[in-house]
Amino acid sequence: METSRVLSGLSYLSVLFAGILFPLVVFLVTEDKKTKYHAKKALLSQLIMLVPIPVVVYSAITQIVMNQTEVPMLFISSVIFTFLLCLIVAVWNIVKGIKVFTNESY
C-alpha cells in the first residue's frame, strides 16, 4: 500500500487517536496533492466538533451564575447536540478512512 494512501486514511481515522493534530501535521508536511486534499477534509471535519463548545460553556456558566432551581434545558440540549454531532462526525471520518484504504482508484 502506498504511503500517501496510508497517510490519507490515517488522517480520517485519527479522530480515534490523535484528533486534529495528525491531519494538521500531514496537511502541513506532505507534498502530494491527494494526501493534502484528504488531510484538509479530515481536519475540517474534525474541527466541526469544536463549533458547539462555546454554547455548552455559555449555558454552563449561565446556569451557575443564575443559580436556577429549574432544569437547565439549554445546557442539556447543547450537550446532547454536541454529543450527537461528535458521534456523526466520528462515524463519517471512520467511513471515509475505510473508503480511502479500500478504494482502488484512491
Side-chain angles (χ1 to χ4, degrees):
M1 191 174 286
E2 306 139 16
T3 305
S4 61
R5 183 180 288 203
V6 171
L7 287 174
S8 297
L10 286 177
S11 292
Y12 289 111
L13 295 177
S14 70
V15 73
L16 300 173
F17 62 88
I20 297 167
L21 185 62
F22 188 80
L24 179 64
V25 170
V26 170
F27 179 72
L28 294 175
V29 172
T30 189
E31 298 285 326
D32 185 41
K33 288 186 178 183
K34 281 189 174 183
T35 305
K36 193 175 277 274
Y37 169 77
H38 286 290
K40 183 173 78 171
K41 282 183 68 173
L43 178 64
L44 292 176
S45 69
Q46 292 175 18
L47 284 174
I48 290 173
M49 294 189 286
L50 299 178
V51 170
I53 298 298
V55 176
V56 173
V57 171
Y58 169 76
S59 61
I61 291 172
T62 304
Q63 183 64 30
I64 291 170
V65 169
M66 295 180 126
N67 201 9
Q68 296 176 347
T69 58
E70 59 194 43
V71 178
M73 288 306 294
L74 178 62
F75 178 71
I76 292 172
S77 60
S78 62
V79 168
I80 290 172
F81 175 75
T82 303
F83 175 76
L84 289 175
L85 182 69
C86 290
L87 184 67
I88 290 168
V89 169
V91 168
W92 185 82
N93 275 305
I94 292 168
V95 168
K96 289 293 285 185
I98 292 171
K99 280 185 178 180
V100 167
F101 283 131
T102 60
N103 193 357
E104 290 295 323
S105 64
Y106 169 59

